[in-house]
Amino acid sequence: MRKNIILAIFLTVISAIIYACQNASEIELSTYISNGKDIYRANCQNCHGENGEGLGELAPPLTDSVFLEKNKSKLACYIKNGTDQPMTINGKTYQGKMPAFPKLQTIDIAQVTVYITNAFGNKQGMYKYEQVAKDLQECK
Amino acid sequence: MKKSYFSLLVLFIATLASCSNDKKLPIFGEREAKIIKGADGIDRIDTVYQTIPNFSFLNQDSTVLTQDAFKGKIYVADFFFTSCTTICPTMHRNLKTVYDDYKTNPDVMFLSHTIDFKYDKPSVLKKYAEKLGVDVAKWQFVYGSKDQVYPLAEKSYLVAVGEDNQSPDGYMHQGWLILIDKQKRMRGAYDGTKAEQVEQLKKDILILLAEEK
């Protein structure tokens, strides 16, 4: 009997810890998303639009989930340093130039990337600050 | 007593109705009174309004564009540059919705002046127009020297423009969309970065078209 009680307490504690952990990561994700939204509004929305719809052929939409997933490790470099590489997005080629945003810190880039990849019909979860720092070192 | 309230109410409604019926847009800019001798020899006072002076620019097809292109039309003018990353994309995103609304109306035109006299040559404007999806005669993109464009912006359209070493793009300017009537007078100014003001512009274009029929 006593064994059972101890086991029950043990299991409750373990599940509480797991639940708390999950909650913490969910909270972190939603913090990233809400901060990222502000950064997006201030820096990206002019060209890419309120709903990530883009602007003609001047600025590509941010709704191509496959592209975002495939190029996730390059997104930080695009944002920090700008890019003039042609890109095929939603089957259309875009050749415009994207300006650099050198003022954005690594944490800002992480947050805005998480916002973009979880808004406009994308749902790709977390992209951590540490990973962004690593990706930024690989910029070409 | 009741009757007088009622008649007041009727009067009030009638006033409101008459207001909305012949609604006219204001005329902006300087004005002066001028005495004009009529055909009957009697002096009359006439008001002379500020108008957009003649201009000659190269458009996105490298052909000369003058006011002849806007004869008998109303148009919306603005100042921008193609490498602008701040307000211009929003301005043109909004202006394009106005363009879409009046696409089929031959009496409405659009005129965008670049203030980047160093880089925005006609070929650059052409590419920009194509990419925005509006490379048509109805929406003209024009290039001119600094001496041509800047005074026109500031004195005639009352839009502040300038070079700016502090801004990352190298230029500063205001995002006004200016509505010009068939007599080249300024009839409205709308902040092109604000969706609600652009909606007002769409409504005012209708009023102006009705007024000038």
Side-chain angles (χ1 to χ4, degrees):
Chain A
M1 185 61 194
R2 206 172 150 192
K3 243 187 191 172
N4 276 348
I5 291 173
I6 291 174
L7 188 70
I9 292 172
F10 181 72
L11 282 177
T12 317
V13 169
I14 290 288
S15 59
I17 289 171
I18 291 172
Y19 180 73
C21 279
Q22 273 177 341
N23 238 2
S25 70
E26 264 169 39
I27 288 168
E28 194 182 16
L29 180 66
S30 58
T31 313
Y32 265 54
I33 290 176
S34 76
N35 290 344
K37 189 172 187 178
D38 292 338
I39 298 166
Y40 182 84
R41 280 197 182 143
N43 297 283
C44 319
Q45 187 171 310
N46 289 333
C47 295
H48 291 291
E50 196 180 349
N51 303 309
E53 72 271 26
L55 178 58
E57 286 172 41
L58 291 165
L62 303 174
T63 52
D64 187 340
S65 292
V66 177
F67 178 93
L68 291 172
E69 184 79 67
K70 258 191 188 165
N71 295 281
K72 199 150 194 180
S73 61
K74 295 184 203 156
L75 297 180
C77 298
Y78 292 158
I79 296 168
K80 184 89 178 175
N81 305 325
T83 177
D84 51 7
Q85 280 177 36
M87 294 181 197
T88 305
I89 289 155
N90 288 337
K92 237 164 110 184
T93 305
Y94 292 82
Q95 298 188 324
K97 193 176 153 201
M98 169 159 156
F101 292 86
K103 275 188 199 157
L104 291 184
Q105 301 300 317
T106 308
I107 182 70
D108 301 329
I109 294 176
Q111 289 178 335
V112 78
T113 307
V114 169
Y115 173 67
I116 290 165
T117 52
N118 288 284
F120 322 134
N122 307 309
K123 198 164 173 57
Q124 302 179 7
M126 193 58 181
Y127 181 52
K128 283 228 177 197
Y129 164 82
E130 292 84 356
Q131 187 60 44
V132 175
K134 263 186 218 160
D135 289 344
L136 279 175
Q137 287 180 348
E138 304 289 313
C139 289
K140 278 168 201 154
Chain B
M1 191 62 194
K2 256 187 184 167
K3 226 178 188 178
S4 69
Y5 271 132
F6 180 73
S7 53
L8 260 180
L9 188 71
V10 168
L11 191 70
F12 181 65
I13 290 171
T15 317
L16 273 187
S18 69
C19 276
S20 60
N21 271 346
D22 46 64
K23 195 177 170 197
K24 276 194 171 177
L25 301 180
I27 300 171
F28 291 111
E30 306 256 337
R31 62 185 65 183
E32 55 177 319
K34 209 176 178 183
I35 295 167
I36 292 174
K37 215 173 215 46
D40 48 6
I42 299 166
D43 285 346
R44 286 194 178 78
I45 296 173
D46 202 6
T47 315
V48 181
Y49 294 97
Q50 181 174 334
T51 56
I52 305 299
N54 258 320
F55 53 77
S56 173
F57 294 123
L58 285 182
N59 75 357
Q60 71 264 40
D61 295 314
S62 289
T63 55
V64 174
L65 189 87
T66 64
Q67 267 180 341
D68 290 347
F70 302 94
K71 216 170 236 169
K73 298 176 193 289
I74 69 171
Y75 68 95
V76 181
D78 74 307
F79 294 83
F80 84 112
F81 57 106
T82 62
S83 54
C84 163
T85 56
T86 52
I87 60 172
C88 316
T90 311
M91 273 167 71
H92 278 173
R93 178 195 310 281
N94 289 333
L95 190 54
K96 193 163 181 256
T97 66
V98 183
Y99 165 84
D100 286 337
D101 279 12
Y102 290 94
K103 215 186 235 168
T104 53
N105 189 327
D107 289 343
V108 183
M109 283 182 73
F110 299 86
L111 174 59
S112 293
H113 308 73
T114 178
I115 59 165
D116 185 353
F117 50 91
K118 291 176 195 149
Y119 176 72
D120 280 350
K121 306 282 151 126
S123 61
V124 178
L125 293 175
K126 178 86 176 170
K127 254 188 210 148
Y128 181 88
E130 281 171 359
K131 287 184 174 177
L132 190 61
V134 292
D135 183 25
V136 286
K138 190 179 192 66
W139 191 335
Q140 295 285 335
F141 291 84
V142 292
Y143 166 82
S145 69
K146 186 180 173 185
D147 299 345
Q148 286 176 298
V149 176
Y150 286 37
L152 184 73
E154 298 197 321
K155 296 205 179 90
S156 301
Y157 289 105
L158 309 180
V159 178
V161 299
E163 290 177 87
D164 181 10
N165 298 329
Q166 301 297 313
S167 99
D169 295 336
Y171 297 91
M172 63 65 74
H173 63 111
Q174 292 177 313
W176 296 112
L177 307 173
I178 313 285
L179 182 59
I180 306 292
D181 69 11
K182 290 181 184 175
Q183 297 168 60
K184 307 180 183 75
R185 300 176 302 188
M186 258 180 296
R187 304 302 295 273
Y190 312 83
D191 186 338
T193 61
K194 300 211 166 75
E196 67 277 7
Q197 292 205 23
V198 176
E199 286 307 310
Q200 189 60 48
L201 167 60
K202 289 178 189 170
K203 288 180 201 151
D204 286 359
I205 287 177
L206 271 186
I207 295 171
L208 189 57
L209 283 171
E211 184 186 308
E212 301 210 324
K213 236 165 206 167

